[in-house]
Amino acid sequence: MCIRDRIDRLDHELLEVLAKRMNVSREIGRYKKERKMPVVQPGRYDDIMQSRIAAARAMGIGEDFMRLVLAAIHEESVRLQL
């Protein structure tokens, strides 16, 4: 298998994982609506950012890059919960 094929397969896996995560975000949105909870919970967001960035750093992934990725994922998750 050539390197490009490996990248293509990994990109597809990333998309599958993101789709699963967005489905869970929709479930969370329904849960929050039923209980009249706010969509955005700043404490949870801060905890996620800190822990995921630390994990990414340990894996050799740049902190700024991870912050951008997580912020984009969070933004889409919030949009799906509204």
Side-chain angles (χ1 to χ4, degrees):
M1 173 182 302
C2 76
I3 295 172
R4 285 185 178 171
D5 290 341
R6 289 170 39 201
I7 289 291
D8 290 346
R9 184 158 52 183
L10 289 168
D11 284 348
H12 184 75
E13 289 176 26
L14 279 169
L15 292 171
E16 287 179 335
V17 169
L18 284 170
K20 289 176 186 177
R21 192 189 191 289
M22 294 307 150
N23 286 334
V24 172
S25 290
R26 286 184 191 92
E27 288 179 41
I28 290 169
R30 286 190 294 272
Y31 178 90
K32 288 177 180 177
K33 281 180 187 175
E34 290 169 2
R35 288 156 183 80
K36 298 182 182 0
M37 296 170 65
V39 171
V40 177
Q41 298 176 341
R44 170 79 174 143
Y45 177 77
D46 292 341
D47 290 345
I48 287 172
M49 290 296 274
Q50 289 178 354
S51 67
R52 301 315 189 267
I53 288 170
R57 194 180 314 117
M59 294 178 199
I61 300 170
E63 184 174 326
D64 290 339
F65 170 72
M66 197 72 249
R67 192 176 307 282
L68 287 170
V69 169
L70 290 171
I73 290 170
H74 181 260
E75 184 179 313
E76 181 64 7
S77 294
V78 167
R79 188 188 70 76
L80 292 173
Q81 291 180 36
L82 295 176

